[in-house]
């Protein structure tokens, strides 16, 4: 047996919450170093770019058979869009955050063919829809997805929200709260530690940098 020295790339499905924060915070920017960009996991970037996100990959290389690169993100106005069919499987972990961006887009976000979201750590469709509604968003649920209306429905407001113990719903609602008026309280927010223990620290740093 021969030992190897390996570099583990950053998890793009976790980083998408910080990328989304940049989309919400005017004037903000972010550079992700050594992110895993395997084509089967990086489709979320393609969807964000299709909505108008300013995302570039200035460095891309192969390491141990996997694509790894730096991802540059700058704030930009988002148009909105629809995710369905094969796109769902390619972005399943990122769907809650993508849907939650709806109120910050021109046309809103619509998701279909995503019944799997009903049986994740929580019913992610129901939990996200309820949290967004508490904050003033206009949301329509479908058996296999949801529609979150765009910015024409008005600005979100702070609220007490319950992510149902689901780390991805908690992080999505925390990001959405960055652009809402007033304070948002997330019940059992420590559930984010399941996948991103330093999430709130990273989010605070990004928010504070955007104020400079």
């Amino acid at each position: 047996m021969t030992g190897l020295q390996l570099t583990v790339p950053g998890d793009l499905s976790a980083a998408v919450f910080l990328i989304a924060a940049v989309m919400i915070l005017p004037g903000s920017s972010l550079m992700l170093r050594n992110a895993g960009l395997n084509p089967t996991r990086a489709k979320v970037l393609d969807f964000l770019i299709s909505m108008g996100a300013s995302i570039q990959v200035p460095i891309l290389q192969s390491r141990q058979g996997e694509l790894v690169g730096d991802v540059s993100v700058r704030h930009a106005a988002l148009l909105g869009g629809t995710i369905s069919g094969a796109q769902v499987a390619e972005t399943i972990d990122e769907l809650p955050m993508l849907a939650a961006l709806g109120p910050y887009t021109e046309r809103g976000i619509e998701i279909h063919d995503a019944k799997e979201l009903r049986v994740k750590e929580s019913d992610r469709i129901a939990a996200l829809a309820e949290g967004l509604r508490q904050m003033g968003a206009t949301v329509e649920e479908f058996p296999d997805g949801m529609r979150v209306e765009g910015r024409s429905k008005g600005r979100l407001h702070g609220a007490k929200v319950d992510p149902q113990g689901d780390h991805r719903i908690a992080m999505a609602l925390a990001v959405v709260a960055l652009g809402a008026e007033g304070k948002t309280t997330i019940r059992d927010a420590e559930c984010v530690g399941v996948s991103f223990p330093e999430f709130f620290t990273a989010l605070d740093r990004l928010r504070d940098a955007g104020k400079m």
Side-chain angles (χ1 to χ4, degrees):
M1 183 177 295
T2 303
L4 296 174
Q5 182 175 345
L6 304 176
T7 300
V8 178
D11 180 9
L12 194 60
S13 68
V16 73
F17 296 98
L18 301 181
I19 294 172
V22 172
M23 297 298 106
I24 291 173
L25 294 169
S28 63
S29 63
L30 175 70
M31 177 67 80
L32 299 170
R33 302 289 186 186
N34 299 314
L37 297 176
N38 184 304
T40 63
R41 300 300 302 144
K43 294 295 184 180
V44 63
L45 299 183
D46 294 336
F47 180 72
L48 286 168
I49 291 170
S50 76
M51 291 202 299
S54 177
I55 298 175
Q56 297 181 331
V57 182
I59 296 176
L60 182 65
Q61 54 190 310
S62 179
R63 296 181 185 172
Q64 292 97 45
E66 291 286 339
L67 287 178
V68 179
D70 294 349
V71 180
S72 172
V73 187
R74 293 187 177 277
H75 176 78
L78 299 179
L79 295 175
T82 299
I83 304 173
S84 62
Q87 288 178 301
V88 170
E90 295 166 343
T91 58
I92 192 67
D93 288 335
E94 297 83 27
L95 287 181
M97 187 65 260
L98 294 177
L101 279 173
Y104 298 98
T105 68
E106 181 178 338
R107 300 194 298 259
I109 302 287
E110 192 161 325
I111 296 172
H112 292 281
D113 305 318
K115 285 184 179 179
E116 183 180 342
L117 290 179
R118 295 282 189 188
V119 292
K120 287 288 191 177
E121 285 87 336
S122 68
D123 179 339
R124 286 182 171 167
I125 293 172
L128 181 62
E130 178 60 22
L132 290 174
R133 288 188 185 114
Q134 291 289 334
M135 299 175 73
T138 300
V139 183
E140 180 182 2
E141 282 188 54
F142 313 126
D144 66 342
M146 63 197 305
R147 173 168 178 78
V148 185
E149 297 293 343
R151 64 174 69 94
S152 64
K153 295 297 182 179
R155 188 174 179 182
L156 300 186
H157 55 75
K160 292 182 179 180
V161 294
D162 186 353
Q164 304 295 319
D166 191 313
H167 57 123
R168 292 192 182 277
I169 301 302
M171 288 189 284
L173 293 174
V175 171
V176 167
L178 293 174
E181 290 184 349
K183 179 181 178 181
T184 293
T185 301
I186 301 173
R187 181 183 179 188
D188 298 329
E190 62 273 13
C191 68
V192 304
V194 169
S195 62
F196 198 162
E198 301 301 320
F199 169 71
F200 287 110
T201 299
L203 196 64
D204 285 344
R205 287 174 60 191
L206 182 59
R207 180 191 59 196
D208 293 342
K211 294 178 181 179
M212 296 176 64

